[in-house]
Amino acid sequence: MNPIFLVFVLSLVVAQVALPRRWAFVPLMVAGCQIGNVEFLPQFTTARILIVIGLARAVAGGFLKWDKNSRLDQFMLLFSVVAVVSSIGHTADFYFPSPFKARVGLVINVLGTYLFARAYLPDFESFRRYAFILPIIILPLAVGLSIENRTRKNVYRSLGGSTEAAVREERVRAQGPFRHPILAGTCGATALPFAYLLWRSRRRVAGVLGFTACFGVVLASSSSGPLAAVAVTMAAIFMWRWRYLVPHLVWTAVILGFVYNIAKGRGPWYIMASLDLVGGSTGWHRAKLIDQGFKYLGEWWLWGTDYTRHWMSSGVRWNPNMVDLTNYYLHLGVTGGLGLSLCLIAFIVVSFRMLLRRMREMRSDGDPREITLWCAAAALAAHAVSFISISYFDQMYVFFYSLLGAIPGLVAVGQKVVTEPEIVSDSIDDSERTQTPVWSH
């Protein structure tokens, strides 16, 4: 084992045990950004080791949170049960020697990260610490990916990254410790709302560094998917003043989707087939994959399937039985059936509802902290859009499920209103409040 990798991992393990609880989320975030998704121990990547140690510490300290009445907690439990039970519908082969172990690993990733965040990001202030530090943690990643983009040498190869950079149509696509350039770029794109939060909180230098890091990662990855996630974030930033219109915008998007379907005779997801932001985009493949997922629904809806090669004309090198499942919603369905896909959608819908409901209450009370929830919603939207173009098959899951795990504490009522100068600046001014109609509350 590479000694640099060994020292880095052991340092994070020690930090996970030794850091005060308020900072104990940091080692897992560092592992997600800086260490590849390779096994340190059999079946255990660095992220999984930190999750298990963190949960053990939370149990011993009595601060592991679970609410049987929470809709999000309920769907997490359902996801875990469906994932494990679905293993009976799969057979062992060279690529997946144990379907049961593979799905237990999935549960550790998903439920484990969620509970980890529930324990270490239990309230509003802990989420602000998380949001403020994440863009800064990404800064070394931006430097590493920029070097890789220029030299074609992955500086993260000692930490589990690939040896050489990916190249498409003579364009270098840096990936660092991630398993795909799109995943690397998505890491930066989904952290961008928190860089904006730093800026809005009058931490100007940190905000500039955060923006630089996030955009640097996205640009170095040379991928269209992360740029789409950035577009979602920028749209959210622009819409902050008119955030009460979000429900209307959602319904407008749904109606336009139906109109597109009628006019073009195909699903609205084919819009991405027309987008090529960096050259060499495979938007048509991703749109066609969704079509094929619906077409062959009968093969995978119950508990997934081990064979999808007949869905598309092209496959993947690492498994001749599968097409390239560049869609997280569909990937989970192939793994464990339609139930897993629906659970993922439920995670997103329930989280948005929790955030928007609490935002309406804050707006009515003139609570200056509403901007923080808006940035969390923007990050959630960026993840939801990214799922259409890539599956989170490496450590990228850490950032999505930690965000979900932080939301119950973030929206909890009865927390003390912070009156620091940098947070007061986020409050709603009189002109903005008068623009908000009564029915939006």
Side-chain angles (χ1 to χ4, degrees):
M1 181 175 293
N2 187 295
I4 298 177
F5 182 85
L6 180 62
V7 170
F8 206 128
V9 173
L10 291 179
S11 298
L12 290 177
V13 169
V14 171
Q16 186 62 64
V17 175
L19 283 174
R21 179 189 173 190
R22 65 198 302 263
W23 295 110
F25 67 88
V26 174
L28 183 59
M29 298 303 105
V30 172
C33 290
Q34 310 296 338
I35 298 184
N37 197 51
V38 295
E39 293 183 358
F40 180 74
L41 297 173
Q43 301 296 323
F44 277 90
T45 62
T46 304
R48 284 184 184 175
I49 291 172
L50 294 174
I51 289 169
V52 171
I53 293 175
L55 291 179
R57 177 182 174 181
V59 170
F63 54 86
L64 183 65
K65 290 182 175 290
W66 182 266
D67 182 0
K68 64 180 181 180
N69 296 318
S70 167
R71 189 64 61 86
L72 200 51
D73 287 11
Q74 292 170 354
F75 278 116
M76 276 292 168
L77 179 60
L78 178 62
F79 179 97
S80 303
V81 172
V82 172
V84 173
V85 171
S86 70
S87 63
I88 65 177
H90 298 262
T91 58
D93 56 26
F94 174 80
Y95 305 97
F96 296 99
S98 173
F100 178 77
K101 287 183 179 179
R103 281 147 188 82
V104 169
L106 175 64
V107 171
I108 293 175
N109 293 348
V110 174
L111 182 62
T113 304
Y114 176 80
L115 292 177
F116 182 98
R118 291 278 273 138
Y120 295 101
L121 302 173
D123 52 32
F124 181 88
E125 285 308 307
S126 63
F127 181 82
R128 281 182 66 86
R129 285 193 294 272
Y130 166 86
F132 285 169
I133 200 171
L134 183 57
I136 306 305
I137 292 176
I138 291 176
L139 190 57
L141 178 67
V143 174
L145 264 62
S146 297
I147 294 173
E148 181 181 350
N149 187 269
R150 290 180 176 274
T151 66
R152 300 194 180 191
K153 300 296 182 181
N154 190 343
V155 299
Y156 282 95
R157 57 186 178 274
S158 297
L159 295 176
S162 61
T163 304
E164 300 291 337
V167 180
R168 175 184 289 173
E169 296 185 358
E170 300 184 356
R171 183 184 295 271
V172 179
R173 309 175 72 203
Q175 62 190 71
F178 293 87
R179 289 191 175 183
H180 197 283
I182 296 179
L183 289 167
T186 301
C187 178
T190 53
L192 187 58
F194 304 134
Y196 173 67
L197 184 61
L198 275 169
W199 177 267
R200 281 295 299 259
S201 300
R202 290 187 179 175
R203 292 170 170 86
R204 301 303 194 194
V205 175
V208 169
L209 289 175
F211 274 117
T212 302
C214 293
F215 278 115
V217 168
V218 170
L219 294 176
S221 71
S222 301
S223 303
S224 296
L227 287 175
V230 167
V232 170
T233 296
M234 299 307 293
I237 291 174
F238 175 78
M239 284 297 300
W240 162 245
R241 182 172 291 272
W242 300 280
R243 56 199 176 280
Y244 57 86
L245 296 176
V246 167
H248 306 283
L249 293 176
V250 171
W251 282 110
T252 299
V254 171
I255 293 172
L256 290 177
F258 278 114
V259 171
Y260 180 93
N261 181 264
I262 295 173
K264 297 291 186 178
R266 57 186 184 182
W269 45 86
Y270 272 93
I271 294 175
M272 62 182 168
S274 305
L275 301 177
D276 188 358
L277 303 179
V278 297
S281 179
T282 54
W284 182 89
H285 168 89
R286 288 169 168 77
K288 184 65 175 179
L289 181 63
I290 296 174
D291 271 354
Q292 297 302 88
F294 282 117
K295 179 179 179 180
Y296 294 102
L297 179 63
E299 297 180 0
W300 60 269
W301 74 270
L302 182 56
W303 45 45
T305 178
D306 294 325
Y307 189 81
T308 61
R309 185 61 188 81
H310 58 298
W311 288 15
M312 306 278 285
S313 59
S314 58
V316 291
R317 298 188 307 274
W318 54 89
N319 189 341
N321 296 325
M322 289 288 178
V323 297
D324 193 2
L325 294 169
T326 54
N327 184 304
Y328 195 36
Y329 303 101
L330 188 55
H331 192 174
L332 285 179
V334 169
T335 299
L338 185 60
L340 290 191
S341 298
L342 294 178
C343 280
L344 178 60
I345 295 172
F347 295 159
I348 296 169
V349 172
V350 170
S351 297
F352 271 127
R353 286 181 174 177
M354 292 171 68
L355 289 168
L356 295 177
R357 184 185 304 117
R358 182 65 182 131
M359 284 177 63
R360 286 195 297 270
E361 296 171 355
M362 287 179 152
R363 203 175 312 142
S364 298
D365 298 335
D367 195 324
R369 304 174 298 172
E370 186 186 355
I371 182 67
T372 301
L373 275 69
W374 181 254
C375 289
L380 183 62
H383 280 291
V385 170
S386 298
F387 292 161
I388 299 174
S389 64
I390 193 68
S391 173
Y392 284 12
F393 59 89
D394 66 0
Q395 72 271 21
M396 188 61 205
Y397 68 84
V398 165
F399 302 102
F400 174 64
Y401 293 106
S402 63
L403 176 61
L404 293 188
I407 287 175
L410 179 61
V411 303
V413 298
Q415 300 185 57
K416 181 180 178 181
V417 178
V418 180
T419 57
E420 296 177 278
E422 66 267 20
I423 302 183
V424 170
S425 67
D426 292 332
S427 60
I428 307 171
D429 58 34
D430 292 336
S431 62
E432 189 174 346
R433 187 178 290 109
T434 56
Q435 293 175 6
T436 307
V438 173
W439 47 260
S440 70
H441 301 309

mmCIF file of all heavy atoms in Angstrom, residues 251-268 271:
data_model
loop_
_atom_site.group_PDB
_atom_site.id
_atom_site.type_symbol
_atom_site.label_atom_id
_atom_site.label_comp_id
_atom_site.label_asym_id
_atom_site.label_seq_id
_atom_site.Cartn_x
_atom_site.Cartn_y
_atom_site.Cartn_z
ATOM 1 N N TRP A 251 -44.403 24.177 -11.794
ATOM 2 C CA TRP A 251 -45.547 23.786 -12.619
ATOM 3 C C TRP A 251 -45.382 24.246 -14.062
ATOM 4 O O TRP A 251 -45.790 23.539 -14.998
ATOM 5 C CB TRP A 251 -46.836 24.353 -12.024
ATOM 6 C CG TRP A 251 -47.328 23.562 -10.855
ATOM 7 C CD1 TRP A 251 -47.350 23.937 -9.548
ATOM 8 C CD2 TRP A 251 -47.835 22.219 -10.895
ATOM 9 N NE1 TRP A 251 -47.845 22.924 -8.758
ATOM 10 C CE2 TRP A 251 -48.162 21.868 -9.564
ATOM 11 C CE3 TRP A 251 -48.048 21.299 -11.911
ATOM 12 C CZ2 TRP A 251 -48.679 20.614 -9.229
ATOM 13 C CZ3 TRP A 251 -48.573 20.047 -11.575
ATOM 14 C CH2 TRP A 251 -48.882 19.720 -10.255
ATOM 15 N N THR A 252 -44.755 25.391 -14.259
ATOM 16 C CA THR A 252 -44.482 25.851 -15.623
ATOM 17 C C THR A 252 -43.555 24.883 -16.349
ATOM 18 O O THR A 252 -43.761 24.559 -17.528
ATOM 19 C CB THR A 252 -43.852 27.253 -15.597
ATOM 20 O OG1 THR A 252 -44.762 28.166 -14.978
ATOM 21 C CG2 THR A 252 -43.539 27.732 -17.004
ATOM 22 N N ALA A 253 -42.534 24.420 -15.637
ATOM 23 C CA ALA A 253 -41.601 23.463 -16.235
ATOM 24 C C ALA A 253 -42.308 22.163 -16.603
ATOM 25 O O ALA A 253 -42.047 21.570 -17.664
ATOM 26 C CB ALA A 253 -40.446 23.188 -15.274
ATOM 27 N N VAL A 254 -43.202 21.706 -15.731
ATOM 28 C CA VAL A 254 -43.956 20.476 -16.016
ATOM 29 C C VAL A 254 -44.818 20.649 -17.269
ATOM 30 O O VAL A 254 -44.865 19.778 -18.145
ATOM 31 C CB VAL A 254 -44.827 20.092 -14.803
ATOM 32 C CG1 VAL A 254 -45.779 18.947 -15.173
ATOM 33 C CG2 VAL A 254 -43.955 19.685 -13.627
ATOM 34 N N ILE A 255 -45.518 21.779 -17.359
ATOM 35 C CA ILE A 255 -46.379 22.044 -18.522
ATOM 36 C C ILE A 255 -45.545 22.123 -19.801
ATOM 37 O O ILE A 255 -45.910 21.546 -20.836
ATOM 38 C CB ILE A 255 -47.169 23.340 -18.306
ATOM 39 C CG1 ILE A 255 -48.173 23.161 -17.157
ATOM 40 C CG2 ILE A 255 -47.894 23.751 -19.585
ATOM 41 C CD1 ILE A 255 -48.865 24.433 -16.743
ATOM 42 N N LEU A 256 -44.404 22.815 -19.738
ATOM 43 C CA LEU A 256 -43.540 22.911 -20.916
ATOM 44 C C LEU A 256 -43.004 21.543 -21.322
ATOM 45 O O LEU A 256 -42.814 21.267 -22.510
ATOM 46 C CB LEU A 256 -42.381 23.866 -20.632
ATOM 47 C CG LEU A 256 -42.748 25.346 -20.505
ATOM 48 C CD1 LEU A 256 -41.514 26.170 -20.148
ATOM 49 C CD2 LEU A 256 -43.364 25.869 -21.802
ATOM 50 N N GLY A 257 -42.787 20.675 -20.327
ATOM 51 C CA GLY A 257 -42.351 19.319 -20.644
ATOM 52 C C GLY A 257 -43.400 18.557 -21.435
ATOM 53 O O GLY A 257 -43.079 17.855 -22.404
ATOM 54 N N PHE A 258 -44.656 18.715 -21.024
ATOM 55 C CA PHE A 258 -45.746 18.071 -21.767
ATOM 56 C C PHE A 258 -45.867 18.655 -23.170
ATOM 57 O O PHE A 258 -46.099 17.925 -24.144
ATOM 58 C CB PHE A 258 -47.072 18.231 -21.010
ATOM 59 C CG PHE A 258 -47.270 17.240 -19.910
ATOM 60 C CD1 PHE A 258 -47.304 17.644 -18.585
ATOM 61 C CD2 PHE A 258 -47.431 15.894 -20.196
ATOM 62 C CE1 PHE A 258 -47.483 16.729 -17.564
ATOM 63 C CE2 PHE A 258 -47.617 14.950 -19.186
ATOM 64 C CZ PHE A 258 -47.641 15.374 -17.868
ATOM 65 N N VAL A 259 -45.727 19.961 -23.283
ATOM 66 C CA VAL A 259 -45.800 20.604 -24.589
ATOM 67 C C VAL A 259 -44.688 20.092 -25.502
ATOM 68 O O VAL A 259 -44.912 19.794 -26.687
ATOM 69 C CB VAL A 259 -45.718 22.140 -24.442
ATOM 70 C CG1 VAL A 259 -45.580 22.801 -25.808
ATOM 71 C CG2 VAL A 259 -46.947 22.667 -23.717
ATOM 72 N N TYR A 260 -43.485 19.990 -24.965
ATOM 73 C CA TYR A 260 -42.353 19.476 -25.746
ATOM 74 C C TYR A 260 -42.624 18.045 -26.205
ATOM 75 O O TYR A 260 -42.357 17.682 -27.355
ATOM 76 C CB TYR A 260 -41.083 19.524 -24.906
ATOM 77 C CG TYR A 260 -39.845 19.021 -25.628
ATOM 78 C CD1 TYR A 260 -39.023 19.899 -26.309
ATOM 79 C CD2 TYR A 260 -39.492 17.671 -25.616
ATOM 80 C CE1 TYR A 260 -37.884 19.456 -26.972
ATOM 81 C CE2 TYR A 260 -38.366 17.208 -26.272
ATOM 82 C CZ TYR A 260 -37.565 18.101 -26.954
ATOM 83 O OH TYR A 260 -36.450 17.650 -27.613
ATOM 84 N N ASN A 261 -43.184 17.252 -25.308
ATOM 85 C CA ASN A 261 -43.481 15.850 -25.645
ATOM 86 C C ASN A 261 -44.482 15.750 -26.782
ATOM 87 O O ASN A 261 -44.338 14.921 -27.697
ATOM 88 C CB ASN A 261 -44.010 15.134 -24.403
ATOM 89 C CG ASN A 261 -44.328 13.676 -24.660
ATOM 90 O OD1 ASN A 261 -45.471 13.308 -24.934
ATOM 91 N ND2 ASN A 261 -43.319 12.832 -24.581
ATOM 92 N N ILE A 262 -45.477 16.608 -26.737
ATOM 93 C CA ILE A 262 -46.502 16.593 -27.788
ATOM 94 C C ILE A 262 -45.932 17.111 -29.104
ATOM 95 O O ILE A 262 -46.161 16.542 -30.181
ATOM 96 C CB ILE A 262 -47.721 17.430 -27.363
ATOM 97 C CG1 ILE A 262 -48.403 16.784 -26.152
ATOM 98 C CG2 ILE A 262 -48.704 17.581 -28.518
ATOM 99 C CD1 ILE A 262 -49.511 17.631 -25.553
ATOM 100 N N ALA A 263 -45.157 18.191 -29.031
ATOM 101 C CA ALA A 263 -44.633 18.819 -30.246
ATOM 102 C C ALA A 263 -43.570 17.966 -30.933
ATOM 103 O O ALA A 263 -43.531 17.860 -32.163
ATOM 104 C CB ALA A 263 -44.073 20.198 -29.910
ATOM 105 N N LYS A 264 -42.707 17.342 -30.135
ATOM 106 C CA LYS A 264 -41.585 16.590 -30.687
ATOM 107 C C LYS A 264 -41.817 15.083 -30.748
ATOM 108 O O LYS A 264 -41.076 14.358 -31.418
ATOM 109 C CB LYS A 264 -40.322 16.861 -29.861
ATOM 110 C CG LYS A 264 -39.861 18.325 -29.880
ATOM 111 C CD LYS A 264 -39.340 18.712 -31.256
ATOM 112 C CE LYS A 264 -38.754 20.108 -31.233
ATOM 113 N NZ LYS A 264 -38.187 20.511 -32.543
ATOM 114 N N GLY A 265 -42.816 14.620 -30.019
ATOM 115 C CA GLY A 265 -43.087 13.186 -30.017
ATOM 116 C C GLY A 265 -42.070 12.380 -29.238
ATOM 117 O O GLY A 265 -41.891 11.185 -29.469
ATOM 118 N N ARG A 266 -41.392 13.010 -28.303
ATOM 119 C CA ARG A 266 -40.417 12.306 -27.472
ATOM 120 C C ARG A 266 -40.306 13.032 -26.135
ATOM 121 O O ARG A 266 -40.768 14.161 -25.980
ATOM 122 C CB ARG A 266 -39.052 12.258 -28.159
ATOM 123 C CG ARG A 266 -38.474 13.620 -28.513
ATOM 124 C CD ARG A 266 -37.195 13.471 -29.312
ATOM 125 N NE ARG A 266 -36.562 14.765 -29.576
ATOM 126 C CZ ARG A 266 -35.453 14.910 -30.288
ATOM 127 N NH1 ARG A 266 -34.870 13.836 -30.810
ATOM 128 N NH2 ARG A 266 -34.930 16.104 -30.472
ATOM 129 N N GLY A 267 -39.700 12.372 -25.166
ATOM 130 C CA GLY A 267 -39.618 12.924 -23.824
ATOM 131 C C GLY A 267 -38.800 14.198 -23.751
ATOM 132 O O GLY A 267 -37.871 14.407 -24.541
ATOM 133 N N PRO A 268 -39.105 15.074 -22.793
ATOM 134 C CA PRO A 268 -38.370 16.342 -22.662
ATOM 135 C C PRO A 268 -36.905 16.153 -22.315
ATOM 136 O O PRO A 268 -36.110 17.088 -22.453
ATOM 137 C CB PRO A 268 -39.129 17.068 -21.551
ATOM 138 C CG PRO A 268 -39.832 15.998 -20.780
ATOM 139 C CD PRO A 268 -40.183 14.945 -21.786
ATOM 140 N N ILE A 271 -33.976 17.168 -24.618
ATOM 141 C CA ILE A 271 -33.412 18.516 -24.717
ATOM 142 C C ILE A 271 -31.905 18.467 -24.509
ATOM 143 O O ILE A 271 -31.139 19.175 -25.173
ATOM 144 C CB ILE A 271 -34.077 19.455 -23.694
ATOM 145 C CG1 ILE A 271 -35.555 19.658 -24.047
ATOM 146 C CG2 ILE A 271 -33.351 20.803 -23.643
ATOM 147 C CD1 ILE A 271 -36.319 20.476 -23.018
#
